[in-house]
Amino acid sequence: MRIRWLINIGLLFLVLITFFYSWTIFQKEPLESSRFELTEFKLSDFNEIKIDFPSRISTHFKVIDNNWRMLSPHKARADELYVYRILSLIATSSSEKLSSDNLSKYGLDEPRLKVTFLGEGLEEIFLFGTYNPVNEDQYVLYKDNVFLISGGFSETSSFMPLELIDKNPVAKYEKIKGFDFSRLEQWQESRLKLYYKNNIWNAEGKNVSVVQSEITDWFEMTWKDIPAKSVETYKIDERIGYKSFDIIFQDNKKVTFYRIQESPELLLFRKDEELLYHFAGDLGFTMLTPHVEQKEEK
């Protein structure tokens, strides 16, 4: 019994010490941050971004109908992930805040990149210079100060413009209501069309039907937020007679895709955007081959 009491007293003592130590930690004054905020703006204060290079055409983004679009050098839906990476420069902080008296010291007398953020009555300009050889952060001039920030901002800004285009052939705000595959060779006989209504897929055509679980799996694996490997601008020669199909959206807008190539990779041309989307061959085959059942003719 004596040993057990000693053990209990020891455990109680240990708990009291732990409690007291934890309490003293929380009573300490918080340490002041040694980092410097570049701006006090919010990301939502800006709806336009211009990226300028000394020897390359500028890249221009703007919010149109609540979505980021690229206006130059291509007119296309922007990859919003990349846009917000660039825009987050507004909210970043720096370990250094230096004088701008000697810009050549930081490569800012001839900046390699200029990023301009525009909003209502706002024009905030950031100039990018050389990299710090010790930590590989980059010197940036904003207002009258030189800051040292992650080089990732200029790296993302320096991507080729095609890499900054949304690689999804269907925008996130475009809600698919149906497919018309009837012009593709494999579906010409059955005249296959698919429609989604009241959370149910239906097949329209000759001797075809759908199993809900299978057609839902097909849609999830192919057309729902599945990006292409790459995208490029393209001019189609309609004299060649490429096979095509339509996607119908909930607002009854219809978009036509042309199948430019099927193997070794699928190339789909979206007519209204004049963009060519590249998909791996196996995924491409599945995209154009929905899981439908062929009924036997009586």
Side-chain angles (χ1 to χ4, degrees):
M1 291 292 293
R2 180 181 176 85
I3 295 175
R4 184 177 298 176
W5 275 105
L6 290 174
I7 292 174
N8 289 338
I9 292 172
L11 291 174
L12 177 61
F13 186 66
L14 182 62
V15 169
L16 291 173
I17 291 175
T18 304
F19 174 78
F20 179 76
Y21 179 72
S22 300
W23 181 81
T24 56
I25 289 177
F26 285 109
Q27 295 307 305
K28 291 180 179 179
E29 291 293 328
L31 295 175
E32 291 187 10
S33 173
S34 60
R35 297 190 66 83
F36 302 92
E37 301 293 331
L38 270 67
T39 82
E40 295 181 354
F41 294 112
K42 302 187 297 293
L43 273 59
S44 57
D45 292 333
F46 302 92
N47 61 6
E48 197 169 353
I49 303 173
K50 292 181 179 179
I51 304 172
D52 294 291
F53 304 89
S55 58
R56 194 168 104 190
I57 187 170
S58 64
T59 305
H60 186 185
F61 299 100
K62 189 172 184 178
V63 175
I64 298 177
D65 296 330
N66 297 316
N67 297 283
W68 282 98
R69 293 192 62 84
M70 181 185 291
L71 303 182
S72 171
H74 312 292
K75 295 186 183 299
R77 287 179 282 117
D79 188 321
E80 296 199 344
L81 174 62
Y82 287 123
V83 172
Y84 280 110
R85 283 184 189 173
I86 299 167
L87 189 60
S88 64
L89 174 61
I90 291 294
T92 196
S93 61
S94 169
S95 60
E96 301 283 350
K97 186 176 181 181
L98 308 168
S99 168
S100 59
D101 292 341
N102 187 3
L103 293 181
S104 61
K105 179 180 178 180
Y106 309 111
L108 288 163
D109 54 333
E110 296 182 1
R112 59 184 63 188
L113 172 66
K114 174 184 175 183
V115 178
T116 305
F117 298 101
L118 299 163
E120 188 173 349
L122 296 174
E123 183 182 37
E124 304 302 316
I125 299 173
F126 295 80
L127 301 178
F128 290 74
T130 56
Y131 290 85
N132 183 292
V134 177
N135 56 22
E136 297 185 355
D137 284 347
Q138 190 170 17
Y139 292 104
V140 172
L141 176 66
Y142 174 65
K143 301 294 187 183
D144 294 323
N145 294 295
V146 175
F147 297 93
L148 192 59
I149 65 172
S150 167
F153 293 106
S154 67
E155 180 181 347
T156 302
S157 302
S158 300
F159 285 172
M160 294 302 294
L162 284 174
E163 289 297 315
L164 302 174
I165 293 176
D166 186 0
K167 294 181 180 61
N168 287 284
V170 175
K172 295 184 185 302
Y173 55 83
E174 294 176 321
K175 305 302 180 183
I176 295 177
K177 185 173 75 172
F179 297 86
D180 181 355
F181 290 122
S182 62
R183 298 189 298 276
L184 298 177
E185 300 96 329
Q186 64 268 42
W187 303 115
Q188 280 182 334
E189 184 177 349
S190 63
R191 310 292 296 173
L192 177 65
K193 297 180 181 179
L194 298 170
Y195 292 101
Y196 188 69
K197 186 177 182 181
N198 298 326
N199 298 320
I200 295 175
W201 284 100
N202 295 285
E204 178 183 305
K206 182 180 178 182
N207 300 319
V208 291
S209 63
V210 299
V211 176
Q212 287 301 312
S213 59
E214 293 183 357
I215 199 69
T216 299
D217 286 345
W218 166 80
F219 179 72
E220 295 280 343
M221 291 188 303
T222 54
W223 290 99
K224 187 176 181 181
D225 299 332
I226 302 298
K229 295 193 303 179
S230 61
V231 62
E232 62 178 293
T233 56
Y234 189 77
K235 294 293 184 182
I236 190 172
D237 185 352
E238 297 192 36
R239 296 173 299 177
I240 296 179
Y242 295 113
K243 294 294 183 180
S244 65
F245 63 94
D246 299 324
I247 294 182
I248 301 93
F249 300 112
Q250 288 181 2
D251 59 359
N252 291 321
K253 174 185 175 182
K254 182 175 73 173
V255 169
T256 298
F257 285 85
Y258 288 84
R259 189 192 62 200
I260 305 301
Q261 176 183 293
E262 193 166 15
S263 180
E265 63 177 0
L266 177 68
L267 304 182
L268 292 180
F269 173 72
R270 180 165 167 164
K271 185 177 181 180
D272 63 326
E273 295 181 331
E274 296 190 330
L275 292 175
L276 187 68
Y277 295 87
H278 293 242
F279 295 92
D282 53 350
L283 173 61
F285 174 82
T286 307
M287 291 174 72
L288 304 184
T289 313
H291 297 168
V292 299
E293 291 188 337
Q294 300 279 346
K295 300 177 183 178
E296 294 185 5
E297 293 190 42
K298 297 182 179 179

